[in-house]
Structure formats: C-alpha cells, structure tokens
Amino acid sequence: MNLSRTIPPPSGDPDPADDLALIAAYRQSRDLKLVAHLYQRYLHLLYGVCIKYMGEPETAKDSVMDIFEELSQKLLRHEVANFRGWLYTLAKNHCLMKLRASGRTRVQPFDSDPMQMEEDLHLKERMEKEEQFDRLSKCVEALPADQKTVVHLFYLQNKCYKEIETVTGMEWNKVRSHIQNGRRNLKLCMQRQNDPAMIITNE
C-alpha cells in the first residue's frame, strides 16, 4: 500500500462507534481498505506518538507506515473496545520495541516529559469520558419507552417540564415521575457495568 510521506492534520474527532463498526466489517471481509480508512483517521495521533519516541521525523514516518502492517494483523487477533486507546498503546509499544532493537537509549524517557504526561492524562481522561458516555447511551436505550423519551428530552435536549408535557401529552406529575425513575434506573445500570455512578441531579 502506498502511503503519503506527508502527515495530514487531524480532521475532527472520529466516532468511536464507527471505528468499531469498521473493525467488525474488516474481521469479516479481510478488506484492507477498511483498515486503511481507520488508519488514515488516526495518522496524526500515530505520528505524534512516533515523533516523541523516535525523535526524528523520517524515522517517525517510517514507524507510522510500519504500524499499518502490524495493525492489519493484530485487528484480526485482538478484541478492541476503544480503538483510539488501543491504537495509542500499539504505537507506543511499536516504538519501544524498535528503539530496543536498535540499541538506542533515550536520555529523557518518554513518560518523564511533564508536557507529554499532561497530554497522556488528557487523552486518557477523554477516552474514559467517551467510554462512559457510550455506556450511558446504552443504558438510556435500555430504559422503558416512556422513561427513555422523557430522559432524552430533559437531559439531552434540555426541555423543561412544561415543554415535555406539550411534546408527549403527559401530565406534569407523570413527567416528573419518569425523570426520577429514569435517573434511578440509569444509576443502577451504570453500577452494574462497574462504572462510577453518573447521575444528573438538576431538576
């Protein structure tokens, strides 16, 4: 596969659910075009990791291209729940192995760089929030129909009780009851997934 030597800028945040859909399609079809699509989405992330480990732009670009071959094989063997985080770890391990094989020693270890540690922490927190939001969305979908409708209107569309009454035709007390019960059910659902309770308290 011919890849450009120029690393393009990021084009927005990819949809984690779409990443997983592409992975599932690739595992079924073995179509490398699907891997290439995933790979292109995260070229900027890959290059950022590789340049910080390898230190030299050309060596970093070589590593980024090498990772494509590794990626196409490992996606067939590993279950991936969060592609961005998994790819970040794959790139990090690839660079460490390459440095070790070449006998190169970094004077400043990657993880000792305060700025990089801050970037890593931000990325980790962001991925955790994305995972938590995915879990919450699944829990919302599992609610009884009336609760799901009211919770979606109240929390995601910021509708007030009166607006929800108008949209749904429900009485005020019924709206309030569905919001309270929906929130309680969401808390229980999140706890069952071993995730910190994500409770919205505004009413």
Side-chain angles (χ1 to χ4, degrees):
M1 176 181 180
N2 293 323
L3 298 174
S4 172
R5 300 289 293 177
T6 301
I7 305 298
S11 57
D13 292 333
D15 181 0
D18 193 36
D19 290 343
L20 297 182
L22 284 171
I23 292 170
Y26 170 63
R27 289 167 70 95
Q28 286 187 341
S29 68
R30 303 295 197 270
D31 185 352
L32 287 176
K33 290 179 181 178
L34 297 171
V35 181
H37 188 48
L38 275 169
Y39 175 82
Q40 290 287 340
R41 286 180 173 184
Y42 292 97
L43 270 180
H44 191 77
L45 171 67
L46 288 171
Y47 182 70
V49 174
C50 291
I51 191 65
K52 285 180 170 65
Y53 273 101
M54 309 310 295
E56 300 169 357
E58 289 306 310
T59 306
K61 289 176 183 178
D62 288 341
S63 295
V64 169
M65 288 190 289
D66 290 342
I67 288 170
F68 177 80
E69 299 300 328
E70 192 173 346
L71 181 63
S72 63
Q73 296 299 316
K74 290 196 172 182
L75 280 176
L76 297 175
R77 300 197 303 265
H78 297 276
E79 293 297 330
V80 179
N82 184 299
F83 180 69
R84 184 188 182 98
W86 181 84
L87 184 63
Y88 179 90
T89 301
L90 177 68
K92 178 179 177 180
N93 291 340
H94 175 89
C95 292
L96 286 174
M97 290 181 65
K98 200 164 186 177
L99 287 170
R100 192 175 298 121
S102 66
R104 291 173 55 189
T105 303
R106 298 289 297 243
V107 176
Q108 289 287 343
F110 182 79
D111 290 335
S112 69
D113 182 347
M115 291 184 64
Q116 182 58 39
M117 288 177 67
E118 183 177 350
E119 291 175 7
D120 288 349
L121 179 61
H122 175 72
L123 177 61
K124 181 174 182 293
E125 289 175 348
R126 181 174 178 178
M127 289 189 298
E128 287 175 348
K129 287 179 181 177
E130 288 175 354
E131 289 174 359
Q132 191 177 57
F133 183 78
D134 288 343
R135 293 190 184 102
L136 180 61
S137 297
K138 290 177 182 177
C139 287
V140 170
E141 289 302 312
L143 290 173
D146 286 343
Q147 288 182 22
K148 178 168 67 174
T149 297
V150 171
V151 165
H152 189 274
L153 290 170
F154 187 68
Y155 290 120
L156 301 182
Q157 295 189 23
N158 296 316
K159 301 287 187 183
C160 66
Y161 280 28
K162 189 65 178 175
E163 289 174 318
I164 296 174
E165 282 185 82
T166 302
V167 170
T168 63
M170 298 179 188
E171 297 179 355
W172 187 91
N173 287 336
K174 195 61 120 176
V175 171
R176 180 179 175 83
S177 175
H178 283 320
I179 289 174
Q180 291 177 334
N181 292 334
R183 186 171 61 231
R184 182 174 64 251
N185 287 333
L186 286 178
K187 176 182 177 181
L188 293 173
C189 179
M190 296 294 284
Q191 288 176 335
R192 282 196 296 270
Q193 297 185 47
N194 297 319
D195 205 51
M198 191 173 175
I199 313 170
I200 310 170
T201 57
N202 59 303
E203 288 191 24

